[in-house]
Amino acid sequence: MGTMHRSGLAPRRTNENAKVIITTILGILFGTFIGISLPSLSFKINLPSALISSLDVALSDGKLLSSGRDDQSPEHFGSRKFPEIYVPTNPRGAELLPPGIVVAKTDLYLRRLWGEPNEDLKKKPKYLVTFTVGFDQRNHINTVVKKFSEDFQILLFHYDGRTTEWDQFEWSKTAIHISTRKQTKWWYAKRFLHPDVVSTYEYIFIWDEDLGVEHFNADKYIQLVKKHGLEISQPGLEPNNGLTWEMTKRRGDREVHKDTKEKAGWCRDPHLPPCAAFVEIMAPVFSREAWRCVWHMIQNDLVHGWGLDFALRRCVEPAHEKIGVVDSQWIIHKVIPSLGSQGKSENGKAPWQGVRERCKKEWTMFQNRLAEADKEYLGRMVKE
């Protein structure tokens, strides 16, 4: 009986071994089939935007991307088929890029040609100061620049085409120089100071080259601007030099003022220019938020900026509280018509006279455009 019991198990064990062998063979055949078929498969992947930026591996021509030398060749990258991506929330023009690589803004920070990129910037300037200059005013600008600490990035716009000569000053070697002949600071500002380019700076100074700064300290100025909540400002002007408006005249009994009394009939509203919400275009200082609005208001063909100062109030609210003059840090307007000499003499008139006539024409054109735009907008609102 015992012998018969043992011999009865032999066929069962043989059947189980056969099943294992057959299963193994089928597994090998199936795996081989998948391995042969995989290179001919292509994948089209649509992932949520939060996951797209982490996507670093794609199937292309049947090969997984690897760190091998051959896979990293330019030819290989050019032939890769990436998953299709479309992110409508990306900035215009970048919809086809993964969000994690999109940089919508830039800056004016200087970068080295060597070393580790993350070690380029030992200090990031907080504020931007621009001057539109000619080489004849170099010694004066040298004095002015020394009033600004390392927290201020210096940017020179050169209207006379002379740039390399400025390297006689040590600070010039780390300044930014942009040169186009016979252009004004507002022409430069519209083309080189786009809000997305200067968004890293808290405040932007757009100054003339003929300003005396004997009584001015830039760091203290910034402190007062922040203290009094000024989005658009300028230093007070010395009363005896180049003064046009009462609003910009320095007052000796306070840190800041935001309104004034002008000549009879000049102010139809005490909260409107030139009695409030007003600074001149010779030495304005803008917060980054205010500048984003002002940049859009600057017209491409109106380069002198006349009339712009009366419209700055449109960019902050309430304007009569956020636009003001800093009295305790004041400047002197030297009234040097250096840029005016870059004009052209016509019909026996001096170059500066032609420039002044252009300024008056621009004033009229700008005011007319604002009035027409307001009228069109209000008309549309009434219809809606």
Side-chain angles (χ1 to χ4, degrees), residues 132-314:
T132 303
V133 301
F135 190 61
D136 290 344
Q137 304 300 324
R138 61 189 179 281
N139 292 324
H140 174 66
I141 291 297
N142 180 48
T143 300
V144 174
V145 166
K146 292 178 179 179
K147 290 288 186 173
F148 295 87
S149 68
E150 292 183 351
D151 284 330
F152 296 80
Q153 172 67 60
I154 303 299
L155 169 56
L156 299 187
F157 297 128
H158 299 269
Y159 59 74
D160 61 354
R162 302 177 68 178
T163 58
T164 56
E165 295 97 324
W166 287 79
D167 280 351
Q168 63 185 270
F169 305 115
E170 191 62 30
W171 56 263
S172 176
K173 299 174 183 178
T174 56
I176 299 169
H177 299 264
I178 298 176
S179 175
T180 304
R181 293 178 180 273
K182 299 181 184 295
Q183 299 302 315
T184 71
K185 67 180 182 181
W186 299 111
W187 184 92
Y188 283 111
K190 186 65 173 178
R191 287 149 184 84
F192 298 101
L193 300 182
H194 187 280
D196 286 346
V197 173
V198 299
S199 63
T200 54
Y201 304 102
E202 295 179 38
Y203 293 92
I204 299 98
F205 293 59
I206 303 183
W207 281 20
D208 290 350
E209 63 180 337
D210 60 343
L211 304 175
V213 292
E214 293 84 353
H215 308 285
F216 178 82
N217 179 286
D219 290 308
K220 292 181 180 179
Y221 183 90
I222 292 293
Q223 292 174 7
L224 291 171
V225 165
K226 292 180 178 180
K227 175 181 176 181
H228 293 275
L230 300 180
E231 298 289 328
I232 301 176
S233 64
Q234 75 161 78
L237 290 175
E238 176 63 38
N240 298 323
N241 295 83
L243 186 67
T244 302
W245 305 100
E246 285 293 321
M247 177 64 185
T248 55
K249 181 190 296 184
R250 178 181 71 90
R251 300 181 186 178
D253 60 346
R254 63 194 66 191
E255 292 180 335
V256 166
H257 74 269
K258 301 179 182 179
D259 56 21
T260 191
K261 291 184 178 180
E262 264 290 355
K263 299 176 183 178
W266 280 33
C267 294
R268 56 186 176 87
D269 188 318
H271 287 166
L272 294 179
C275 287
F278 177 76
V279 297
E280 294 189 70
I281 58 172
M282 70 177 72
V285 179
F286 305 96
S287 70
R288 69 161 68 95
E289 292 81 9
W291 177 245
R292 183 167 292 277
C293 171
V294 172
W295 183 89
H296 286 283
M297 191 162 55
I298 300 172
Q299 306 296 290
N300 286 347
D301 58 339
L302 307 183
V303 297
H304 287 289
W306 277 34
L308 184 64
D309 41 16
F310 274 75
L312 295 177
R313 62 186 177 84
R314 295 168 178 260

Side-chain angles (χ1 to χ4, degrees), residues 69-84:
R69 179 178 299 177
D70 293 340
D71 289 343
Q72 300 300 317
S73 65
E75 293 79 6
H76 174 77
F77 280 114
S79 65
R80 286 167 59 177
K81 296 179 181 179
F82 290 96
E84 288 191 8

Side-chain angles (χ1 to χ4, degrees), residues 348-363:
K349 295 180 180 179
W352 69 267
Q353 290 178 309
V355 169
R356 190 171 185 85
E357 289 180 2
R358 169 66 184 256
C359 289
K360 292 179 179 178
K361 292 176 182 178
E362 288 194 4
W363 167 281

